[in-house]
PDB file of all heavy atoms in Angstrom:
ATOM      1  N   PHE A  31     -19.103 -40.259 -14.082  1.00 95.00           N
ATOM      2  CA  PHE A  31     -18.567 -41.053 -15.191  1.00 95.00           C
ATOM      3  C   PHE A  31     -17.480 -40.275 -15.930  1.00 95.00           C
ATOM      4  O   PHE A  31     -16.409 -40.824 -16.235  1.00 95.00           O
ATOM      5  CB  PHE A  31     -19.709 -41.427 -16.138  1.00 95.00           C
ATOM      6  CG  PHE A  31     -19.260 -42.047 -17.435  1.00 95.00           C
ATOM      7  CD1 PHE A  31     -18.889 -43.381 -17.491  1.00 95.00           C
ATOM      8  CD2 PHE A  31     -19.204 -41.287 -18.596  1.00 95.00           C
ATOM      9  CE1 PHE A  31     -18.479 -43.957 -18.693  1.00 95.00           C
ATOM     10  CE2 PHE A  31     -18.796 -41.856 -19.792  1.00 95.00           C
ATOM     11  CZ  PHE A  31     -18.428 -43.191 -19.831  1.00 95.00           C
ATOM     12  N   PHE A  62      20.529 -51.276 -17.758  1.00 90.00           N
ATOM     13  CA  PHE A  62      19.242 -50.732 -17.315  1.00 90.00           C
ATOM     14  C   PHE A  62      18.389 -51.817 -16.669  1.00 90.00           C
ATOM     15  O   PHE A  62      17.717 -51.576 -15.651  1.00 90.00           O
ATOM     16  CB  PHE A  62      18.494 -50.109 -18.497  1.00 90.00           C
ATOM     17  CG  PHE A  62      17.163 -49.524 -18.136  1.00 90.00           C
ATOM     18  CD1 PHE A  62      17.084 -48.339 -17.428  1.00 90.00           C
ATOM     19  CD2 PHE A  62      15.981 -50.170 -18.490  1.00 90.00           C
ATOM     20  CE1 PHE A  62      15.851 -47.793 -17.095  1.00 90.00           C
ATOM     21  CE2 PHE A  62      14.753 -49.640 -18.160  1.00 90.00           C
ATOM     22  CZ  PHE A  62      14.679 -48.453 -17.462  1.00 90.00           C
ATOM     23  N   ALA A 111       5.333 -56.855 -20.922  1.00 94.00           N
ATOM     24  CA  ALA A 111       4.910 -57.359 -22.231  1.00 94.00           C
ATOM     25  C   ALA A 111       5.777 -56.777 -23.342  1.00 94.00           C
ATOM     26  O   ALA A 111       6.151 -57.478 -24.289  1.00 94.00           O
ATOM     27  CB  ALA A 111       3.444 -57.012 -22.469  1.00 94.00           C
ATOM     28  N   THR A 112       6.115 -55.504 -23.230  1.00 94.00           N
ATOM     29  CA  THR A 112       6.983 -54.879 -24.231  1.00 94.00           C
ATOM     30  C   THR A 112       8.376 -55.500 -24.210  1.00 94.00           C
ATOM     31  O   THR A 112       8.954 -55.784 -25.275  1.00 94.00           O
ATOM     32  CB  THR A 112       7.089 -53.366 -23.962  1.00 94.00           C
ATOM     33  OG1 THR A 112       5.780 -52.795 -23.986  1.00 94.00           O
ATOM     34  CG2 THR A 112       7.955 -52.690 -25.014  1.00 94.00           C
ATOM     35  N   ILE A 150       2.868 -56.644 -27.015  1.00 94.00           N
ATOM     36  CA  ILE A 150       2.532 -55.333 -26.466  1.00 94.00           C
ATOM     37  C   ILE A 150       1.030 -55.206 -26.267  1.00 94.00           C
ATOM     38  O   ILE A 150       0.561 -54.724 -25.225  1.00 94.00           O
ATOM     39  CB  ILE A 150       3.050 -54.218 -27.399  1.00 94.00           C
ATOM     40  CG1 ILE A 150       4.583 -54.197 -27.388  1.00 94.00           C
ATOM     41  CG2 ILE A 150       2.491 -52.861 -26.974  1.00 94.00           C
ATOM     42  CD1 ILE A 150       5.191 -53.239 -28.386  1.00 94.00           C
TER      43      ILE A 150
END
Side-chain angles (χ1 to χ4, degrees):
F31 170 79
F62 180 73
T112 302
I150 292 174

